[in-house]
Amino acid sequence: MIKEVCLGTSLAVLIFLTILGYNVVPLLLLGGLGVFLFLMLDRKGLGASSGSNSYAQPVNFTFDDIGGQAPAKQELKEALDFVLHAPKIIEMGIRPLKGILLTGPPGTGKTLLAKAAAAYTNSVFLAASGSEFIEVYAGVGAQRVRQLFKTARERAVREKKGGAIIFIDEIEVLGTKRGTNAGHMEYDQTLNQLLVEMDGLRSNERARLLVIGATNREDMLDSALLRPGRFDRVVSVDLPDKAARCSILRLHCRNKPLGEDVDLDQVARESFGFSGAHLESVTNEAAILALREEQPTISNRHFKEAVDKVMMGEKLDRKPNQDELYRIAVHESGHAVISELLRPGSVSHLTVANRGRALGYMRQIPEDDRYLYTKESLVKQIRVYLAGAVSESIILGARSTGATSDFNQAVQAARQIVTAGLSPLGIVCEEIMSKDMLHQAIQEIVQQQEKEVAGMLDGHLDTLKEISSLLVEQEYISGTTLQERIEQAKLEKQAPLEV
Ligand code: ATP
C-alpha cells in the first residue's frame, strides 16, 4: 500500500514539474537508481518488508500424514505440549521451550515433522535453510535472522495464531562451531544473532515463537547452540524400520491405483536402508513405469523395477559384446547360486541389464532388518560377495576387473570379523595392531572362504551354466525360477540312473 502511494505521488510530482517546464530527466535517472538499489537490498533481505517474505508457508500437514517415526513423533508431541499449555507452564514457573533440534539422515521426514508440529500447535510455519543466511556481505546473515524472527512475530499476531514455528533446515551451515570458518566473520555474526534471538524468546509474549532446527551433522554444531535454554530437546529421526517403511509406502500409495498382486509388505522387506524420501520415490517411479506401459494399475513388477532404479540408478543403454555379456551372466549367477544355497529364498532376482555403474546385478531379499551380525552371517556375506569372481574363474578360466567392488565389500566384512573380536585372534585393539597383522588376518578369512565357495560351486556346475545361459537369453531371472532350477538339479542328482 505504502509503495503504491509513493509511486502515485512521485508520478504526479513529475507530471506537475514537466507542465511547469522543468527538465525532469535527471530526476528520472535519480529515481530509477533509487528503485534499483531498493530492489537489490530487498532481495538480499536488508530491506525486507514485514508484510511478505519467502519463508512463510501454508501448513496443511498433520502427524497422521507421516509414516512410522513413532518415537520421534511422541517425543516431539511431548515437547510441543509445553507450547500448547503455555499458561500452565507460566503458572508453574517453567521457562519456555525455545528450540527443538531434529537430527537424522537426509529424507527421513524432519521437514514433515516440523510442518506437522506447526499444525499441532496451530502456529504459523516459517521455513528457511541455513545456507540462505550466509552471504559474502558481512552483516546480511544477521539481518536476515533478525528479520525472520520479526516476521514470525508479526505474522502470528496478524493471523491470530497462538505462535509461530521457525524451521531452519541444514542448521549446521549457520550453526557451525564458531571459528571453524577462519577469516569469515559473517558465519559467526549470523550464529551470534540466532543465539541472541533465541535468548530473547519469552513465554509471555503475544506470539510465542519456537525454533525447530534440522541437521544430519549434529557434531558440527556450536556447543552454545546445544546448551540448555536454546535447543534443549534433541529428537532423533532415524531411518524407518520394516513396519515404518510399510506405513510410508501405504501413505504414498493412497492416491495410486494398485494391482492385485502388489504386496507392500514385501516391498518394505526388500527396501532395507531406504529413507522416507527413497520410498516416496519408489512409489512414484512404479507409477511412472506403469504409465509408460499404458497399464491401468501398478503391478508388483513395477515396484520391483522401481526399487532397483532407486537403489542402483537409471537403466543404461550400454551394450556389452556377447563375450562380456556371458561373463556378466556367469558372475551374477555365481552370486545368486551361492546366496540361494546359503539361504533358500534369499534371491529376489538377477539381471544382466546395465544400471548406474553396475553391468548386471543380483538383488537379495534381506532376511529381516538387522543391526547386529554374527560371525556366521558375516561369513555368508563374504561368500556371496566372492561367488561372482570364483564363478568366472571356474567357468571361464580367468577373472575380470568386474569384481573389484565385491572384493572391497568382502574385505570390509572380514575386517569387521577381526575388529569385532570374532576371528581366531580374539579381541584385538585395531589402533595398536600392526597393519601387516590386520591384513594377514583379513586375507586368511577371505582366502578360506574363497576355497569354500569354489567347493560349493563345483557341486552345482550344471545349474550354474544353465542359469548363466538362461540369463543371457532372458536378461532377467526371478528368484522363484532360480529356486526351481536348483531344486530340479537336486532331484536329478538323487534319481537313480536308468540302465
Ligand atoms: P533433509 O535432511 O534432506 O532436509 P528431511 O529429513 O527434512 O530431509 P523431508 O524433506 O521431510 O526429509 O522428506 C522428504 C520427502 O520424503 C517428503 O516430502 C516425503 O515425500 C518423504 N518422506 C520422508 N519421510 C517420510 C515419512 N516418515 N512419511 C511419509 N513421507 C516421508
Side-chain angles (χ1 to χ4, degrees):
M1 182 66 182
I2 296 170
K3 273 185 202 165
E4 282 83 1
V5 171
C6 290
L7 202 70
T9 317
S10 317
L11 270 176
V13 171
L14 280 177
I15 293 168
F16 184 64
L17 290 176
T18 316
I19 293 169
L20 290 181
Y22 286 99
N23 181 7
V24 292
V25 175
L27 276 178
L28 271 175
L29 286 176
L30 214 64
L33 191 69
V35 170
F36 174 74
L37 279 175
F38 175 78
L39 290 177
M40 286 296 288
L41 291 178
D42 197 33
R43 206 169 64 82
K44 299 256 171 255
L46 286 172
S49 67
S50 56
S52 66
N53 75 89
S54 59
Y55 304 123
Q57 294 187 7
V59 189
N60 47 6
F61 211 84
T62 69
F63 283 115
D64 292 337
D65 298 314
I66 302 173
Q69 300 300 0
K73 281 189 211 171
Q74 180 62 23
E75 240 183 292
L76 190 55
K77 275 187 189 170
E78 272 171 26
L80 293 172
D81 284 339
F82 279 96
V83 180
L84 277 179
H85 309 296
K88 183 96 187 124
I89 300 299
I90 298 168
E91 213 175 281
M92 297 294 288
I94 299 173
R95 71 166 164 74
L97 189 69
K98 296 178 180 177
I100 299 174
L101 186 67
L102 305 177
T103 66
T108 42
K110 296 182 289 296
T111 310
L112 300 186
L113 284 166
K115 283 187 182 171
Y120 186 72
T121 53
N122 188 28
S123 304
V124 167
F125 181 71
L126 285 98
S129 165
S131 51
E132 287 172 40
F133 295 93
I134 303 301
E135 280 283 352
V136 280
Y137 313 105
V140 175
Q143 169 62 24
R144 281 188 190 161
V145 171
R146 253 194 310 277
Q147 185 63 46
L148 181 60
F149 279 74
K150 185 169 169 253
T151 310
R153 281 192 182 90
E154 286 172 356
R155 279 195 43 141
V157 172
R158 201 173 54 238
E159 293 179 22
K160 298 191 175 58
K161 299 266 186 169
I165 285 188
I166 297 177
F167 175 64
I168 306 179
D169 202 2
E170 300 173 0
I171 196 164
E172 73 277 2
V173 178
L174 86 99
T176 332
K177 292 186 177 91
R178 277 170 290 187
T180 315
N181 298 295
H184 208 318
M185 288 301 288
E186 168 65 353
Y187 284 88
D188 295 357
Q189 276 186 23
T190 310
L191 173 57
N192 285 339
Q193 189 59 42
L194 178 65
L195 300 179
V196 168
E197 293 292 343
M198 288 185 78
D199 284 344
L201 300 182
R202 301 274 173 270
S203 59
N204 51 4
E205 279 189 89
R206 267 181 78 200
R208 277 171 287 103
L209 300 196
L210 177 71
V211 183
I212 299 188
T215 181
N216 26 59
R217 291 300 309 272
E218 192 188 345
D219 56 309
M220 283 174 70
L221 293 182
D222 194 287
S223 54
L225 209 48
L226 292 172
R227 77 138 170 82
R230 287 182 186 137
F231 284 108
D232 31 18
R233 286 281 189 289
V234 179
V235 176
S236 137
V237 190
D238 277 330
L239 285 175
D241 61 10
K242 196 179 123 205
R245 288 198 297 278
C246 196
S247 79
I248 296 173
L249 285 167
R250 277 185 215 294
L251 273 173
H252 288 289
C253 283
R254 279 186 301 198
N255 58 351
K256 296 182 175 65
L258 298 187
E260 283 188 357
D261 65 341
V262 173
D263 180 358
L264 291 180
D265 274 322
Q266 182 64 12
V267 181
R269 205 171 152 212
E270 293 188 16
S271 48
F272 175 67
F274 278 28
S275 67
H278 284 124
L279 295 167
E280 187 273 338
S281 179
V282 166
T283 59
N284 203 43
E285 290 298 339
I288 292 173
L289 287 169
L291 183 76
R292 254 187 227 159
E293 291 177 13
E294 296 180 9
Q295 299 289 325
T297 56
I298 310 169
S299 62
N300 194 34
R301 189 167 49 84
H302 299 127
F303 273 99
K304 269 196 185 290
E305 194 163 344
V307 171
D308 281 354
K309 187 171 173 189
V310 172
M311 211 181 254
M312 329 255 318
E314 184 65 85
K315 250 189 192 170
L316 299 178
D317 248 356
R318 266 185 317 218
K319 286 267 171 285
N321 64 39
Q322 215 44 36
D323 285 350
E324 264 184 353
L325 195 66
Y326 185 60
R327 182 176 283 282
I328 299 165
V330 167
H331 186 103
E332 299 311 328
S333 305
H335 285 309
V337 169
I338 289 295
S339 174
E340 198 57 40
L341 290 176
L342 291 173
R343 183 162 61 87
S346 62
V347 176
S348 166
H349 57 264
L350 58 157
T351 173
V352 285
N354 293 201
R355 237 181 227 288
R357 287 169 57 205
L359 293 167
Y361 55 92
M362 181 277 296
R363 183 146 72 70
Q364 283 182 300
I365 303 171
E367 215 166 346
D368 237 326
D369 289 9
R370 292 194 84 151
Y371 306 99
L372 286 175
Y373 297 94
T374 59
K375 179 176 177 183
E376 195 198 346
S377 62
L378 286 170
V379 162
K380 282 185 182 173
Q381 281 180 21
I382 296 175
R383 288 188 189 172
V384 176
Y385 293 140
L386 297 177
V390 175
S391 173
E392 282 186 55
S393 312
I394 296 177
I395 296 192
L396 301 167
R399 294 177 182 181
S400 64
T401 51
T404 319
S405 84
D406 292 339
F407 292 157
N408 284 340
Q409 285 173 295
V411 165
Q412 280 314 318
R415 188 191 185 109
Q416 252 186 309
I417 292 180
V418 178
T419 54
L422 305 174
S423 76
L425 291 177
I427 301 168
V428 292
C429 173
E430 201 186 340
E431 279 163 29
I432 53 173
M433 191 182 190
S434 77
K435 275 193 174 174
D436 278 350
M437 200 174 170
L438 179 63
H439 183 243
Q440 202 184 332
I442 292 174
Q443 222 178 11
E444 271 170 23
I445 296 172
V446 173
Q447 283 173 355
Q448 171 68 27
Q449 294 317 314
E450 211 177 341
K451 279 192 205 132
E452 296 289 337
V453 171
M456 288 170 80
L457 287 179
D458 263 337
H460 292 82
L461 263 190
D462 291 341
T463 318
L464 191 59
K465 286 181 186 163
E466 191 196 353
I467 297 288
S468 307
S469 306
L470 195 67
L471 193 54
V472 171
E473 202 182 300
Q474 300 187 350
E475 193 184 296
Y476 174 100
I477 295 180
S478 71
T480 326
T481 309
L482 178 74
Q483 273 170 36
E484 283 166 7
R485 300 286 161 143
I486 290 179
E487 284 308 312
Q488 182 68 30
K490 271 190 202 158
L491 290 176
E492 280 167 14
K493 262 191 197 164
Q494 283 164 5
L497 285 177
E498 280 180 30
V499 184

